[in-house]
Amino acid sequence: MPEPRQGFRRLRRRTVSDTVGQPPTRTAVRNAKIVALPVAYAARRAGGPVQRAFGKSAREVELDIQARTAQHMFEVLGELKGCAAKFGQILALYELALPPALGEPYREALSKLQDSAPAMLPASVSAAMAASLGPDWRDSFQEFDLRASAAASVGQVHRARWHDGRTVAVKLMYPGAREAVHSDLEQLRRLAPIGTVFAPGMDMRAAADAFSECISAELDYTAEAANQRAFHTEYADDPDFLVPELIHQQGDVLISEWVDGIPLTRVIESGAQEERDRVGILVLRFVMSSFARTGLLYTDPHPGNFRVMRDGRIGVVDYGACSAIPPEFPAVVGDIGEAALNGTDADLETTLRRHGFVAPEKDFDIAALVELIDPIRELFLEPVVHITMRWLRARVLHATQPTLSNVGRQLKSPPEYTPIGRTILSTAGVLCQLGVQGRLRDELTAPLPDLAAAVERYQLGEGPSTVVLLHDRRRQHALRGASSSATPAPTASSGPYISR
């Protein structure tokens, strides 16, 4: 159950869908809306000199273009739903890594995709329910609110009372959403070759296929019901988490126990630091424990899927995006961690090549990669760290520099790791929005014994060459200001803590 609706007033372009109360699903209409985005942006750019001729400064014109483009993106993606809206949700999370002044218009507009969407009209809701549950579907409920209480990327959620008296969340897929998403995915596959400009070493078509498979899984409510049952069984009576019981699933309708609680977005906006730390650690614990306990990785940890319960537990909803991890993944992470912490740079390069992250015949700038990952490695070297949006911005800007020498262009990733990458990035975004300070290392290594062993060997000093290498690198970072590193928590010997 995503974030409940908040009354966001926005401009609407009237479309055919307005008359039937559901988002546009015809391929031609959807494609036209998407194509309109860059066209409209170009038109705004072309109009910039005219605005400056009437006395507006270049800065005022630029901000106006950014704001109107952001609003247009929000309107189009929010109306289309499906993959377009899922992409928008990802943008809403990662535009946070942009510098504040540059990202603000997009932050305000795109973030609303997490809790706003055009709702189906009551007649459309009734028709969609009947299509899945039959014409007498109301007999299954004591009460049913035809007004949507929350929005989802391919549907919406209604509050109702099941026939046995329990309050339930009824997740209903938009009519035509499945076909619309498949159309979006086909567009993505056609655009995949363009991605090689940014990552020449990666099989972008295979990565697009893996991403498409992950998104397509969210359209299968039968599979989602099975995922939720598995999580509910495993986390039953857990002191930290509440996984709602799956009550019934049929066709494009999924009915679950209703979860009341404070949305995570509210904690991000106004929570006390102590609560932000506690909740952030629990979010990380849930994601990291998911694959070890259920065999499935919870791959959609965006803020709208978490609730803080009155008893302190974290309620977790929406199990459409759950992926089986490759069986070799824990061992691969252990090997890379061993090389990164206790080996030489050459050891790390050899390990990356062995596991398919660098092509055997390609040159590779291992020194540049070491510099890139040093701040991330700090998460495993310090017992307590503080990660913030400033830390994330530095990581993203460094990793995405549009230069031919960017070491990221030399890396590749096995397609089956695509859901894992999505999960890592999404979880990092949530933790940095919260500004979490805590023992992240313990949570990251708990379900990965080989990685935990590598960290322990580092702590015991069993990698003698590593100590010198890391000391030298830290000294170099200190000389450069070290502003891009995760911040260790204050200790008696570290002096006063300075927030980053």
mmCIF file of all heavy atoms in Angstrom, residues 94-123:
data_model
loop_
_atom_site.group_PDB
_atom_site.id
_atom_site.type_symbol
_atom_site.label_atom_id
_atom_site.label_comp_id
_atom_site.label_asym_id
_atom_site.label_seq_id
_atom_site.Cartn_x
_atom_site.Cartn_y
_atom_site.Cartn_z
ATOM 1 N N TYR A 94 16.298 9.660 -7.074
ATOM 2 C CA TYR A 94 17.697 9.925 -7.379
ATOM 3 C C TYR A 94 18.003 11.339 -7.846
ATOM 4 O O TYR A 94 19.166 11.726 -7.883
ATOM 5 C CB TYR A 94 18.219 8.872 -8.371
ATOM 6 C CG TYR A 94 18.199 7.554 -7.668
ATOM 7 C CD1 TYR A 94 17.288 6.587 -7.999
ATOM 8 C CD2 TYR A 94 19.004 7.354 -6.552
ATOM 9 C CE1 TYR A 94 17.215 5.417 -7.293
ATOM 10 C CE2 TYR A 94 18.923 6.189 -5.833
ATOM 11 C CZ TYR A 94 18.037 5.220 -6.204
ATOM 12 O OH TYR A 94 17.942 4.069 -5.485
ATOM 13 N N GLU A 95 16.956 12.110 -8.162
ATOM 14 C CA GLU A 95 17.253 13.514 -8.393
ATOM 15 C C GLU A 95 17.696 14.175 -7.100
ATOM 16 O O GLU A 95 18.275 15.246 -7.106
ATOM 17 C CB GLU A 95 16.054 14.245 -8.992
ATOM 18 C CG GLU A 95 14.762 14.124 -8.207
ATOM 19 C CD GLU A 95 14.743 14.983 -6.974
ATOM 20 O OE1 GLU A 95 15.357 16.046 -6.986
ATOM 21 O OE2 GLU A 95 14.132 14.562 -5.979
ATOM 22 N N LEU A 96 17.450 13.503 -5.969
ATOM 23 C CA LEU A 96 17.925 14.027 -4.685
ATOM 24 C C LEU A 96 19.441 14.137 -4.657
ATOM 25 O O LEU A 96 20.005 14.868 -3.843
ATOM 26 C CB LEU A 96 17.442 13.120 -3.551
ATOM 27 C CG LEU A 96 15.947 13.182 -3.256
ATOM 28 C CD1 LEU A 96 15.550 12.029 -2.351
ATOM 29 C CD2 LEU A 96 15.575 14.502 -2.626
ATOM 30 N N ALA A 97 20.099 13.386 -5.534
ATOM 31 C CA ALA A 97 21.553 13.449 -5.571
ATOM 32 C C ALA A 97 22.063 14.671 -6.323
ATOM 33 O O ALA A 97 23.250 14.955 -6.312
ATOM 34 C CB ALA A 97 22.118 12.182 -6.226
ATOM 35 N N LEU A 98 21.153 15.411 -6.982
ATOM 36 C CA LEU A 98 21.556 16.632 -7.662
ATOM 37 C C LEU A 98 21.838 17.735 -6.643
ATOM 38 O O LEU A 98 21.286 17.734 -5.550
ATOM 39 C CB LEU A 98 20.456 17.099 -8.607
ATOM 40 C CG LEU A 98 20.132 16.193 -9.797
ATOM 41 C CD1 LEU A 98 18.900 16.715 -10.514
ATOM 42 C CD2 LEU A 98 21.310 16.115 -10.746
ATOM 43 N N PRO A 99 22.688 18.690 -6.987
ATOM 44 C CA PRO A 99 22.884 19.848 -6.103
ATOM 45 C C PRO A 99 21.539 20.502 -5.817
ATOM 46 O O PRO A 99 20.671 20.569 -6.694
ATOM 47 C CB PRO A 99 23.800 20.764 -6.925
ATOM 48 C CG PRO A 99 24.520 19.841 -7.857
ATOM 49 C CD PRO A 99 23.546 18.746 -8.178
ATOM 50 N N PRO A 100 21.312 21.011 -4.606
ATOM 51 C CA PRO A 100 19.991 21.518 -4.217
ATOM 52 C C PRO A 100 19.385 22.517 -5.187
ATOM 53 O O PRO A 100 18.217 22.409 -5.547
ATOM 54 C CB PRO A 100 20.267 22.152 -2.850
ATOM 55 C CG PRO A 100 21.428 21.380 -2.308
ATOM 56 C CD PRO A 100 22.295 21.069 -3.500
ATOM 57 N N ALA A 101 20.160 23.503 -5.630
ATOM 58 C CA ALA A 101 19.603 24.534 -6.504
ATOM 59 C C ALA A 101 19.160 23.959 -7.841
ATOM 60 O O ALA A 101 18.130 24.331 -8.396
ATOM 61 C CB ALA A 101 20.643 25.635 -6.733
ATOM 62 N N LEU A 102 19.927 23.017 -8.375
ATOM 63 C CA LEU A 102 19.608 22.432 -9.666
ATOM 64 C C LEU A 102 18.439 21.468 -9.561
ATOM 65 O O LEU A 102 17.586 21.394 -10.445
ATOM 66 C CB LEU A 102 20.836 21.695 -10.222
ATOM 67 C CG LEU A 102 20.673 21.026 -11.590
ATOM 68 C CD1 LEU A 102 20.338 22.063 -12.643
ATOM 69 C CD2 LEU A 102 21.940 20.266 -11.954
ATOM 70 N N GLY A 103 18.366 20.728 -8.464
ATOM 71 C CA GLY A 103 17.372 19.679 -8.363
ATOM 72 C C GLY A 103 16.036 20.091 -7.794
ATOM 73 O O GLY A 103 15.077 19.328 -7.877
ATOM 74 N N GLU A 104 15.927 21.292 -7.234
ATOM 75 C CA GLU A 104 14.720 21.660 -6.505
ATOM 76 C C GLU A 104 13.439 21.567 -7.336
ATOM 77 O O GLU A 104 12.460 20.975 -6.879
ATOM 78 C CB GLU A 104 14.866 23.075 -5.925
ATOM 79 C CG GLU A 104 13.717 23.470 -5.001
ATOM 80 C CD GLU A 104 13.620 22.561 -3.779
ATOM 81 O OE1 GLU A 104 14.663 22.010 -3.373
ATOM 82 O OE2 GLU A 104 12.510 22.394 -3.251
ATOM 83 N N PRO A 105 13.363 22.117 -8.555
ATOM 84 C CA PRO A 105 12.113 22.006 -9.307
ATOM 85 C C PRO A 105 11.708 20.565 -9.576
ATOM 86 O O PRO A 105 10.540 20.203 -9.495
ATOM 87 C CB PRO A 105 12.420 22.751 -10.616
ATOM 88 C CG PRO A 105 13.541 23.673 -10.278
ATOM 89 C CD PRO A 105 14.374 22.923 -9.272
ATOM 90 N N TYR A 106 12.701 19.726 -9.900
ATOM 91 C CA TYR A 106 12.393 18.323 -10.167
ATOM 92 C C TYR A 106 12.025 17.602 -8.875
ATOM 93 O O TYR A 106 11.191 16.700 -8.862
ATOM 94 C CB TYR A 106 13.585 17.652 -10.843
ATOM 95 C CG TYR A 106 13.901 18.285 -12.171
ATOM 96 C CD1 TYR A 106 14.845 19.305 -12.269
ATOM 97 C CD2 TYR A 106 13.220 17.904 -13.327
ATOM 98 C CE1 TYR A 106 15.114 19.915 -13.480
ATOM 99 C CE2 TYR A 106 13.484 18.506 -14.542
ATOM 100 C CZ TYR A 106 14.431 19.508 -14.622
ATOM 101 O OH TYR A 106 14.694 20.121 -15.810
ATOM 102 N N ARG A 107 12.652 18.023 -7.778
ATOM 103 C CA ARG A 107 12.346 17.401 -6.485
ATOM 104 C C ARG A 107 10.878 17.628 -6.120
ATOM 105 O O ARG A 107 10.174 16.709 -5.715
ATOM 106 C CB ARG A 107 13.264 17.990 -5.415
ATOM 107 C CG ARG A 107 13.040 17.463 -4.014
ATOM 108 C CD ARG A 107 14.165 17.914 -3.090
ATOM 109 N NE ARG A 107 15.439 17.500 -3.633
ATOM 110 C CZ ARG A 107 16.403 18.342 -4.010
ATOM 111 N NH1 ARG A 107 16.233 19.636 -3.894
ATOM 112 N NH2 ARG A 107 17.540 17.894 -4.506
ATOM 113 N N GLU A 108 10.420 18.862 -6.284
ATOM 114 C CA GLU A 108 9.053 19.183 -5.904
ATOM 115 C C GLU A 108 8.047 18.457 -6.787
ATOM 116 O O GLU A 108 7.008 17.993 -6.317
ATOM 117 C CB GLU A 108 8.832 20.693 -5.988
ATOM 118 C CG GLU A 108 9.603 21.484 -4.944
ATOM 119 C CD GLU A 108 9.366 22.978 -5.074
ATOM 120 O OE1 GLU A 108 8.662 23.382 -6.025
ATOM 121 O OE2 GLU A 108 9.887 23.731 -4.240
ATOM 122 N N ALA A 109 8.334 18.369 -8.086
ATOM 123 C CA ALA A 109 7.366 17.780 -9.009
ATOM 124 C C ALA A 109 7.428 16.258 -9.019
ATOM 125 O O ALA A 109 6.417 15.586 -8.829
ATOM 126 C CB ALA A 109 7.612 18.311 -10.419
ATOM 127 N N LEU A 110 8.608 15.699 -9.196
ATOM 128 C CA LEU A 110 8.710 14.247 -9.345
ATOM 129 C C LEU A 110 8.400 13.497 -8.059
ATOM 130 O O LEU A 110 7.861 12.387 -8.091
ATOM 131 C CB LEU A 110 10.111 13.876 -9.842
ATOM 132 C CG LEU A 110 10.377 14.193 -11.320
ATOM 133 C CD1 LEU A 110 11.851 13.961 -11.640
ATOM 134 C CD2 LEU A 110 9.506 13.370 -12.237
ATOM 135 N N SER A 111 8.734 14.077 -6.923
ATOM 136 C CA SER A 111 8.478 13.370 -5.666
ATOM 137 C C SER A 111 6.992 13.123 -5.455
ATOM 138 O O SER A 111 6.597 12.184 -4.761
ATOM 139 C CB SER A 111 9.050 14.149 -4.480
ATOM 140 O OG SER A 111 8.398 15.389 -4.349
ATOM 141 N N LYS A 112 6.153 13.943 -6.070
ATOM 142 C CA LYS A 112 4.711 13.762 -5.917
ATOM 143 C C LYS A 112 4.206 12.530 -6.648
ATOM 144 O O LYS A 112 3.085 12.087 -6.430
ATOM 145 C CB LYS A 112 3.987 15.018 -6.388
ATOM 146 C CG LYS A 112 4.275 16.219 -5.498
ATOM 147 C CD LYS A 112 3.582 17.456 -5.997
ATOM 148 C CE LYS A 112 3.838 18.625 -5.063
ATOM 149 N NZ LYS A 112 5.241 19.003 -4.992
ATOM 150 N N LEU A 113 5.027 11.948 -7.527
ATOM 151 C CA LEU A 113 4.624 10.706 -8.162
ATOM 152 C C LEU A 113 4.502 9.580 -7.149
ATOM 153 O O LEU A 113 3.853 8.573 -7.393
ATOM 154 C CB LEU A 113 5.659 10.301 -9.224
ATOM 155 C CG LEU A 113 5.549 11.018 -10.561
ATOM 156 C CD1 LEU A 113 6.775 10.729 -11.393
ATOM 157 C CD2 LEU A 113 4.292 10.611 -11.283
ATOM 158 N N GLN A 114 5.122 9.738 -5.986
ATOM 159 C CA GLN A 114 5.063 8.697 -4.974
ATOM 160 C C GLN A 114 3.724 8.683 -4.245
ATOM 161 O O GLN A 114 3.413 7.729 -3.555
ATOM 162 C CB GLN A 114 6.206 8.873 -3.968
ATOM 163 C CG GLN A 114 7.565 8.692 -4.630
ATOM 164 C CD GLN A 114 8.700 8.962 -3.663
ATOM 165 O OE1 GLN A 114 8.519 9.564 -2.620
ATOM 166 N NE2 GLN A 114 9.890 8.520 -4.009
ATOM 167 N N ASP A 115 2.933 9.748 -4.382
ATOM 168 C CA ASP A 115 1.660 9.735 -3.665
ATOM 169 C C ASP A 115 0.513 10.393 -4.440
ATOM 170 O O ASP A 115 -0.513 10.703 -3.859
ATOM 171 C CB ASP A 115 1.806 10.413 -2.299
ATOM 172 C CG ASP A 115 2.336 11.819 -2.391
ATOM 173 O OD1 ASP A 115 2.177 12.451 -3.438
ATOM 174 O OD2 ASP A 115 2.916 12.276 -1.391
ATOM 175 N N SER A 116 0.696 10.632 -5.733
ATOM 176 C CA SER A 116 -0.371 11.245 -6.517
ATOM 177 C C SER A 116 -0.538 10.512 -7.833
ATOM 178 O O SER A 116 0.422 10.051 -8.412
ATOM 179 C CB SER A 116 -0.048 12.714 -6.804
ATOM 180 O OG SER A 116 0.016 13.444 -5.611
ATOM 181 N N ALA A 117 -1.778 10.410 -8.288
ATOM 182 C CA ALA A 117 -2.077 9.785 -9.565
ATOM 183 C C ALA A 117 -3.538 10.039 -9.890
ATOM 184 O O ALA A 117 -4.352 10.227 -9.004
ATOM 185 C CB ALA A 117 -1.810 8.286 -9.502
ATOM 186 N N PRO A 118 -3.901 10.057 -11.171
ATOM 187 C CA PRO A 118 -5.305 10.214 -11.511
ATOM 188 C C PRO A 118 -6.071 8.977 -11.057
ATOM 189 O O PRO A 118 -5.702 7.853 -11.361
ATOM 190 C CB PRO A 118 -5.286 10.335 -13.040
ATOM 191 C CG PRO A 118 -4.031 9.661 -13.467
ATOM 192 C CD PRO A 118 -3.044 9.913 -12.364
ATOM 193 N N ALA A 119 -7.127 9.175 -10.322
ATOM 194 C CA ALA A 119 -7.886 8.049 -9.783
ATOM 195 C C ALA A 119 -9.004 7.648 -10.725
ATOM 196 O O ALA A 119 -9.560 8.471 -11.452
ATOM 197 C CB ALA A 119 -8.474 8.431 -8.424
ATOM 198 N N MET A 120 -9.330 6.351 -10.704
ATOM 199 C CA MET A 120 -10.475 5.870 -11.463
ATOM 200 C C MET A 120 -11.757 6.393 -10.828
ATOM 201 O O MET A 120 -11.875 6.469 -9.604
ATOM 202 C CB MET A 120 -10.496 4.344 -11.471
ATOM 203 C CG MET A 120 -9.457 3.705 -12.363
ATOM 204 S SD MET A 120 -9.726 1.915 -12.526
ATOM 205 C CE MET A 120 -9.077 1.344 -10.961
ATOM 206 N N LEU A 121 -12.730 6.705 -11.660
ATOM 207 C CA LEU A 121 -14.039 7.106 -11.170
ATOM 208 C C LEU A 121 -14.774 5.889 -10.619
ATOM 209 O O LEU A 121 -14.465 4.750 -10.969
ATOM 210 C CB LEU A 121 -14.836 7.750 -12.300
ATOM 211 C CG LEU A 121 -14.253 9.057 -12.868
ATOM 212 C CD1 LEU A 121 -15.102 9.542 -14.031
ATOM 213 C CD2 LEU A 121 -14.160 10.130 -11.799
ATOM 214 N N PRO A 122 -15.751 6.097 -9.724
ATOM 215 C CA PRO A 122 -16.438 4.969 -9.090
ATOM 216 C C PRO A 122 -16.977 3.935 -10.071
ATOM 217 O O PRO A 122 -16.877 2.726 -9.826
ATOM 218 C CB PRO A 122 -17.562 5.656 -8.310
ATOM 219 C CG PRO A 122 -16.996 6.989 -7.950
ATOM 220 C CD PRO A 122 -16.179 7.391 -9.142
ATOM 221 N N ALA A 123 -17.539 4.386 -11.185
ATOM 222 C CA ALA A 123 -18.080 3.429 -12.156
ATOM 223 C C ALA A 123 -16.988 2.546 -12.732
ATOM 224 O O ALA A 123 -17.188 1.331 -12.938
ATOM 225 C CB ALA A 123 -18.802 4.179 -13.280
#
